[in-house]
Structure formats: structure tokens, C-alpha cells
Amino acid sequence: MKILVINGDCIQTNTSANLCHLAYICGLLDAGHEVSLLSADGRDYKTDPAMAIPAGVKHYTIYGTSFYERISLKKRERISKFVKTEIRSVQDSEANGGIMQRLKSAVLTCYGVHGIYATFVRRAQRFRSDVAYDYVISISTPVTSHLLTYNLLKTGHIKATHWIQIWEDPWYSDAYGFNGKTDIFNEEKRLLSFAERICYVSPLTLNNQQRLFPESAEKMFWMPLPAYYKDATPVHKTSGRNIYGYFGDYAPAARDLEPFYTAADKARVEVNICGNPSNLFHSTDKIHIHPRLPLAELKPIEDNTNVLVFLCNRQGGQIPGKIYQYSATDKTILFILDGTDDEQAMLKDYFGKFNRYIFCQNTVEDITRAIRQIESGDIGSVQNVSLDDFEPAKIVKSILEATK
């Protein structure tokens, strides 16, 4: 089938969201479909060579970087070369309600509810194609992917038999709690009303969204994120000791990594933590703190890790996509539950059936218990084997079949 994927970001920048976008695209190709991609031009972004668009994809790019974004990107790149630690501290203080953050918010308000991505939509909606697509799949983040798709379909600039919206994250009820605004709620409601089918990546999110937007509830379903690892990565174990790794961002508003840091420090296990904000914790002789790294620099650290640490979000119901990627390895996975009691129970019920993870709650005491269990080798019936349940071609097949 002929499928057009639409995403309003530069897919070649190194983010967990873009890794998932690429996994969807790879899954479509692996399933034998003819894939086209419409996305943002990356000339103003720092792209990662490892984040390549797969061969065989017909790729259309639109340059739509706003003036605000160009200034921000250039300034960030220039300053970061000299004062990485200082700029992170400034950004953290701004995120806590500093004066600069309020000024930025005032400027962004001028762009409307879709923020800086509105510029991309305005330019990209001129795109035209004579191809009769079987499916158009719009993937957020950013949410403007869905707005652009609607505009293109409405004007007849593209034609498709089916339209599926994939929401990797909800908008109004995001994990950080930044988007709880009436105008965002109304725009999300409007965008959802346009879709034929709406796919979420967490059963918790599906329940929340069906409750928030009952008028679109019947169109909603959920499907796990596809894994972007092709094969299980090898286990490296040095001198008989385990090396733990947490890879991903951990802003306290979304994820509370402090209990794990404290438990690991007390247990004296070796840990690599890679992500932002990298100045939240201090390195020790056993715990090594790194900022977000390019994939080429991250891979040796990942390859030398044999216990992968997965941390759930504190709120919002979203499941960080790392768990699906980790499940494609043959490494031990420490699954740290967080959220409400009901959310934790639902997550453990779903993921527990795979007999693949060592679960604990996000407290120092329970994480310590789990670490001791791993260190003793007493992991019970848990099997450290690669799961193929989240293989990209299988996931996209199930998503496409949801329209039948």
C-alpha cells in the first residue's frame, strides 16, 4: 500500500520521540509498504548522523523554522560550547518560573496555541501530491502534525482513503503538567474530531483520553510503541559486576529519579546516568552522570550496560518509550513503577505477563530490595530474553488493521 507519514519536526535530531518516529517508518517499510514522508527541514537543527531516514522512503521536507526558533537554536548552540553547565542551570531556573521563562512565554503566545510550529504549518500546507494514498498517518509530537494533515486533506492537496492520528503523548494532559490550558484542551478536542482513528501508546493514556474527550472515545485505541533496536544488543559483564544504566531525561516534574540515585549510591553499584538535567545529581566514584549524548557516543555506554533502568512517569499515564526498546535486548530490566496505585497496578498487569521485568516501586527501600535481588542473581522466573512483541512491522500491521 501507499502510505504518507506526516510529522512536523526534523526527524534527524536525536530525541526519543524521533527514534519512535523512525521505528514506525521502518516498520512500514519492513511490512512491504511504499512509504513517503513529509517533515520539517533540518538545516537549522543539530542533526545526528545515526538518525538517518531509511533508504526507500520518498522524503519531502519543508523549511518552516520560525524567527524565534532560529534565534533560540543559534544562541543555544553558541553558548553551549563555552558554558554548558551554566546554561543548564539557567534553563532549570527558568523552568521553575524565572523571569526569562515568563518573557519567552509571552513571545510564544504571539504564535497562537500551536506555538513556534505554526510557522511550519503555514508553509507546509502548500504541499501538493497527486498520489492517491491508501493511508496518511500523522504522528505527534509535535501536535501540529495533525493540524497540517487536516489542512492538506481539507484543501485536496493530498488524497487518502484512511487517516490515522498517532499520539505518542497527549497534549492537554502531558506528563509535565505544562499544557493544562483551556485553549489547548479545545484545540486538542477539535483535532481529535477530524481523525478516522486515533492511536495512543499507553492503556493509561487511552483511558484518560476517552474520559476527557468522550465524543471521540469510540475512535480511540492503543498500541505499544515499536522498538527501534534491530537485534538484541550483547551483554557485557566486567569482572563479574553489574553495570546499571539509566538513559533518558529525568526532569523532576515528569520523572523522579532521586530514589534510584540514592538507592544505587547506598548499594555501591556502578551506574551510568545519561540525560538532562545533568546537573541535578553529582557523580561519585560509582555513579557517572552524563548529559544527553549523540547516539554514537551513547552506544558504547549502552553496550557496556547489563542492567537497564526503566522509570515510569509521575503523572499523565504515559509510558516512556524506552521500555519497548529495552525489551528487544537480552539484558536485565529494572522496572520502577510510579504514578497512582491504579496506574501502577495496570502497568504491572500488562507488562508482568511477559515475565521479563524486575518490578519495584519508586521508593529507596523497594529499589534497594530490587537491586539486592539483581545482585544476588535471584530473579526468580524472570527471563532476560529479547521479546519480539514490539517488533515494528507487527505494531504497524496492528495499527493499520484498526481501520478495518
Side-chain angles (χ1 to χ4, degrees):
M1 292 189 292
K2 295 180 179 180
I3 299 175
L4 173 64
V5 176
I6 296 180
N7 181 261
D9 210 347
C10 170
I11 290 184
Q12 287 119 313
T13 56
N14 181 7
T15 67
S16 57
N18 281 336
L19 286 168
C20 294
H21 301 340
L22 287 171
Y24 283 117
I25 293 168
C26 289
L28 291 168
L29 289 172
D30 291 344
H33 301 296
E34 183 180 325
V35 182
S36 298
L37 171 65
L38 174 61
S39 66
D41 187 291
R43 71 185 74 173
D44 289 327
Y45 291 83
K46 184 178 180 181
T47 58
D48 189 328
M51 302 285 291
I53 303 299
V57 174
K58 191 169 185 178
H59 191 194
Y60 304 96
T61 60
I62 304 293
Y63 181 73
T65 308
S66 66
F67 175 76
Y68 172 90
E69 196 174 10
R70 286 201 302 275
I71 297 300
S72 178
L73 288 166
K74 290 182 183 299
K75 182 179 180 182
R76 190 181 311 139
E77 182 178 356
R78 185 173 65 250
I79 293 177
S80 65
K81 293 179 181 178
F82 304 101
V83 287
K84 288 184 179 180
T85 302
E86 286 77 7
I87 193 63
R88 283 196 298 268
S89 297
V90 171
Q91 289 170 339
D92 290 344
S93 66
E94 288 173 1
N96 289 326
I99 295 174
M100 289 302 297
Q101 183 62 33
R102 291 196 291 272
L103 288 173
K104 287 181 180 180
S105 297
V107 173
L108 289 173
T109 300
C110 300
Y111 288 92
V113 69
H114 285 278
I116 55 178
Y117 291 103
T119 302
F120 171 76
V121 173
R122 187 172 66 252
R123 295 177 182 174
Q125 63 193 10
R126 302 170 192 162
F127 173 79
R128 290 177 180 270
S129 175
D130 294 328
V131 177
Y133 294 103
D134 296 287
Y135 285 86
V136 59
I137 300 175
S138 53
I139 306 178
S140 62
T141 55
V143 176
T144 42
S145 308
H146 307 309
L147 175 63
L148 172 60
T149 303
Y150 171 70
N151 290 347
L152 291 172
L153 287 168
K154 181 182 178 181
T155 58
H157 286 196
I158 62 171
K159 297 177 177 63
T161 304
H162 301 289
W163 175 20
I164 299 176
Q165 293 181 359
I166 296 178
W167 291 72
E168 293 167 343
D169 291 292
W171 193 9
Y172 174 77
S173 56
D174 73 302
Y176 293 89
F178 294 153
N179 296 328
K181 303 172 184 176
T182 301
D183 57 346
I184 288 179
F185 177 87
N186 291 335
E187 179 64 359
E188 185 170 2
K189 179 179 179 179
R190 188 176 77 98
L191 292 175
L192 293 173
S193 72
F194 298 145
E196 178 184 0
R197 295 286 277 165
I198 303 159
C199 179
Y200 294 104
V201 299
S202 160
L204 305 178
T205 303
L206 175 63
N207 289 346
N208 290 341
Q209 292 296 97
Q210 287 178 325
R211 186 168 55 251
L212 275 173
F213 305 102
E215 62 285 334
S216 294
E218 291 186 1
K219 300 188 291 186
M220 298 175 178
F221 65 103
W222 88 277
M223 199 63 58
L225 282 168
Y228 52 76
Y229 289 119
K230 286 290 185 182
D231 301 297
T233 55
V235 172
H236 295 268
K237 197 166 182 178
T238 306
S239 303
R241 72 180 187 276
N242 290 313
I243 300 178
Y244 294 68
Y246 176 85
F247 307 108
D249 291 342
Y250 48 95
R255 296 173 197 154
D256 183 11
L257 190 61
E258 186 171 4
F260 170 73
Y261 176 88
T262 301
D265 187 39
K266 290 182 177 180
R268 300 289 296 162
V269 292
E270 188 167 349
V271 181
N272 285 296
I273 296 175
C274 302
N276 290 323
S278 58
N279 61 343
L280 190 61
F281 304 117
H282 298 292
S283 292
T284 70
D285 62 324
K286 291 286 189 179
I287 302 178
H288 314 289
I289 307 296
H290 308 271
R292 176 184 286 271
L293 299 172
L295 292 181
E297 295 180 32
L298 183 64
K299 190 176 188 304
I301 299 176
E302 285 186 321
D303 286 351
N304 201 41
T305 298
N306 58 318
V307 181
L308 295 165
V309 179
F310 172 74
L311 174 62
C312 292
N313 289 339
R314 303 177 74 163
Q315 61 182 1
Q318 281 301 90
I319 303 172
K322 289 285 192 298
I323 191 59
Y324 304 113
Q325 323 311 331
Y326 292 171
S327 300
T329 74
D330 54 2
K331 301 181 179 185
T332 302
I333 300 174
L334 175 61
F335 194 121
I336 304 176
L337 295 159
D338 209 338
T340 67
D341 290 343
D342 287 344
E343 289 172 344
Q344 292 186 43
M346 186 178 293
L347 288 173
K348 192 170 183 180
D349 180 65
Y350 176 73
F351 286 101
K353 67 185 180 183
F354 296 108
N355 198 32
R356 177 69 181 87
Y357 316 99
I358 297 172
F359 294 97
C360 63
Q361 294 184 317
N362 197 19
T363 65
V364 174
E365 295 75 19
D366 207 32
I367 295 172
T368 299
R369 173 199 57 78
I371 289 176
R372 287 173 180 163
Q373 185 180 351
I374 293 169
E375 291 301 298
S376 68
D378 182 21
I379 61 174
S381 60
V382 173
Q383 300 179 33
N384 296 331
V385 295
S386 173
L387 299 179
D388 63 2
D389 299 71
F390 312 124
E391 196 272 328
K394 289 185 177 181
I395 297 298
V396 298
K397 181 176 183 290
S398 298
I399 291 173
L400 296 178
E401 289 178 345
T403 61
K404 296 179 181 179

